[in-house]
Amino acid sequence: MYNLDEVWKYAQERGLKAPRIGNPIAKTTIEDALKRRDYTGWFKRGGSEWIEGSYKALISVELYDKVQVAMGWRKQRRNYSTKGAFYAYKGVPRCGTCGMNITAYTKPKVLATTGQMASYTFYVCTRKNRTIKCKEPQLSEHEFSDVIKDEMSNYEITETDGETCKLMVHQVYDDYIKSQDRYSDVWKHDLRQAEKALDVLDDKLEHGVISDERYQLRAAKHQSIVVRTTKLLNGASKDADRWLELCNETFSSVTNIGDIFEIANDEERRELMKYLGSNWTLSNKKVALTPREPLDMLHKDVRKSDWRARPDSNRRSPP
């Protein structure tokens, strides 16, 4: 990088002259030229509003900004535009202090050891709450990823535990299907009896033996039996199949979820966060969330010590 004196000296060595009078170019002229934003194709109207001109720009806005920072006329901007950039966690969590969105920005930095340019991403509260003065510190992307992984690890189980849970679920499912088969003859008998009773009532109503009011009162009981037994016969197995599918999916999704999050790409990490739960918040460099059901029962703080007990000791039937 060069300071103004070095740039001026270089201009003199190149033989640059002042316009019109032909004298060697002055330092103030160099400074004025470097500060003129008009060369980017934009000019200020009315003292405040920048308007894009119809003339061809000599330099880009990005180059102009770099010159202003390099010459010390403007400080490096802390927040950079996130327009068009993808950030894995932007828009998912909110600030736990003021409730505002967590935004992200990328900051370039010249490495002192190699002189190469590197980029670092940070997450910080937008601080747009007018009633709460938020002082939540920013987190680097690496720090943010670590605290998210730590929170996810509270819900994870090992592969061994996952297989044990699936085995228990399948045992419950098999017993349920057997019990359904065992009672299917009873349900079919109840269904036939209820349908016969309704046929008799229909015949009596048709011949005027009973009144409409009397018919409604007596038929309601048999109609409820028809509805209940029909549902048991036609829909129970489908509900059990779906229950089994959801259980297997749940245990598979949380098996080593922390390790999976660590090796996932940005899009996958974002989807893992949304799958685990909602209402993510960031506060005091830690995250919290509302886990989805039934993942809330797998948190290590609420997990019972006997959660891997034999399935027949505390059995729960499929819905």
Side-chain angles (χ1 to χ4, degrees), residues 171-182:
Q171 290 176 350
V172 175
Y173 172 81
D174 291 341
D175 289 347
Y176 180 78
I177 294 299
K178 290 178 182 178
S179 68
Q180 184 191 28
D181 293 339
R182 186 163 56 246

Side-chain angles (χ1 to χ4, degrees), residues 196-247:
K196 287 181 180 180
L198 286 173
D199 289 340
V200 172
L201 287 174
D202 289 341
D203 185 65
K204 288 182 178 181
L205 179 64
E206 184 178 351
H207 291 85
V209 177
I210 60 174
S211 64
D212 289 345
E213 182 178 358
R214 181 80 172 166
Y215 173 85
Q216 294 295 336
L217 290 175
R218 297 183 63 180
K221 176 183 176 180
H222 302 298
Q223 288 171 343
S224 65
I225 294 176
V226 171
V227 171
R228 179 176 61 84
T229 53
T230 301
K231 182 178 180 181
L232 287 171
L233 289 168
N234 296 335
S237 60
K238 294 181 180 179
D239 291 340
D241 291 341
R242 179 55 180 160
W243 175 84
L244 179 64
E245 180 183 349
L246 288 174
C247 287

Side-chain angles (χ1 to χ4, degrees), residues 73-184:
W73 296 327
R74 191 172 69 196
K75 292 183 179 181
Q76 182 75 48
R77 292 181 179 177
R78 180 174 179 273
N79 290 324
Y80 292 80
S81 171
T82 60
K83 183 178 181 181
F86 177 81
Y87 295 95
Y89 315 129
K90 182 183 176 184
V92 179
R94 285 183 174 270
C95 177
T97 298
C98 66
M100 294 293 103
N101 288 330
I102 298 296
T103 189
Y105 70 94
T106 301
K107 181 178 181 180
K109 182 179 180 180
V110 178
L111 300 178
T113 54
T114 63
Q116 295 180 336
M117 182 70 72
S119 297
Y120 297 90
T121 298
F122 296 90
Y123 289 84
V124 64
C125 176
T126 54
R127 297 190 174 97
K128 292 184 178 181
N129 193 312
R130 297 183 179 180
T131 59
I132 300 176
K133 187 175 182 181
C134 186
K135 295 183 179 180
E136 284 292 336
Q138 69 177 12
L139 281 180
S140 68
E141 186 169 46
H142 178 73
E143 292 174 318
F144 204 1
S145 298
D146 284 345
V147 297
I148 294 174
K149 178 187 173 184
D150 290 343
E151 181 61 25
M152 283 190 167
S153 297
N154 290 327
Y155 298 88
E156 74 177 2
I157 58 177
T158 65
E159 290 185 12
T160 300
D161 287 342
E163 292 303 316
T164 300
C165 291
K166 291 178 182 179
L167 178 61
M168 293 165 58
V169 166
H170 276 272
Q171 290 176 350
V172 175
Y173 172 81
D174 291 341
D175 289 347
Y176 180 78
I177 294 299
K178 290 178 182 178
S179 68
Q180 184 191 28
D181 293 339
R182 186 163 56 246
Y183 289 112
S184 61

